[in-house]
Amino acid sequence: MACAITSGYTIDCRENIGGLQAVFLAEFGNITAVAEVSGLVTGLTKATGKRFYKFEVPRATANTSSNATASEENGSVFYTHQVVFPLNKRDSTTANIVRTLAKNKLVAVTLDMDGNYRMYGEGNGLYLATTESGSGTAAGDRNGYNITLTGVEKDDFLQVSASVGAALETAG
């Protein structure tokens, strides 16, 4: 049975803008249910007392990707999710945050510069893949961390409704 193509794509108004405003992270196991319809998260249940934590990012420093890999021979398709963002400080508090992220399986929701929320790692979670930590060389260089979270998912990222996005930091 062929998979039905149900719509095409038309170039619309130029309203997009790249980049992220913030990254919200929660432990994968503390997300108990995600209600999703056609790629849009319409509801999100968190374990009692648990929430997403907001990581603010400086303008033009953070990005996400969700790239499909397909095998005609094997009949498989999967998506590699990636969330990359900086932490502009190298102190003991920030180092402890990085160590905690490294030990966790995570779900990320980003608030993009276009005002849309997007979820990564919903099905299998994200793991800290790499960090870059350094002092920089010149006075204007980053003295901090660059965090890369990655995961492999059956599906592309999910769009998150504005109402669900607005309640991410509220405890479940």
Side-chain angles (χ1 to χ4, degrees):
M1 172 200 230
C3 296
I5 297 174
T6 59
S7 68
Y9 176 79
T10 304
I11 296 175
D12 202 352
C13 301
R14 291 187 294 173
E15 300 173 318
N16 283 337
I17 184 170
L20 303 180
Q21 294 181 42
V23 176
F24 298 85
L25 298 175
E27 298 94 337
F28 181 85
N30 289 334
I31 307 305
T32 58
V34 175
E36 177 255 325
V37 177
S38 298
L40 177 66
V41 174
T42 58
L44 180 68
T45 306
K46 298 167 271 191
T48 302
K50 302 302 179 181
R51 65 187 189 101
F52 279 81
Y53 288 89
K54 182 178 183 179
F55 289 75
E56 293 180 350
V57 296
R59 184 173 23 112
T61 62
N63 66 79
T64 61
S65 62
S66 179
N67 299 310
T69 301
S71 169
E72 181 181 351
E73 299 79 13
N74 297 326
S76 61
V77 177
F78 65 91
Y79 293 82
T80 302
H81 291 194
Q82 186 169 348
V83 179
V84 179
F85 62 98
L87 299 175
N88 284 343
K89 202 166 253 200
R90 258 186 354 143
D91 59 10
S92 61
T93 300
T94 309
N96 287 330
I97 290 169
V98 172
R99 276 191 281 278
T100 301
L101 294 178
K103 294 176 183 179
N104 268 292
K105 182 178 184 180
L106 303 163
V107 173
V109 175
T110 60
L111 174 56
D112 293 10
M113 291 298 287
D114 61 8
N116 289 305
Y117 291 92
R118 293 178 175 87
M119 180 180 280
Y120 299 86
E122 181 269 334
N124 297 317
L126 302 171
Y127 292 93
L128 190 142
T130 63
T131 65
E132 296 174 40
S133 171
S135 63
T137 303
D141 291 348
R142 173 175 293 116
N143 183 347
Y145 293 86
N146 205 44
I147 308 294
T148 301
L149 306 174
T150 62
V152 175
E153 296 288 327
K154 178 183 172 195
D155 295 310
D156 206 351
F157 68 86
L158 297 172
Q159 184 107 14
V160 177
S161 71
S163 61
V164 171
L168 291 171
E169 294 181 273
T170 305

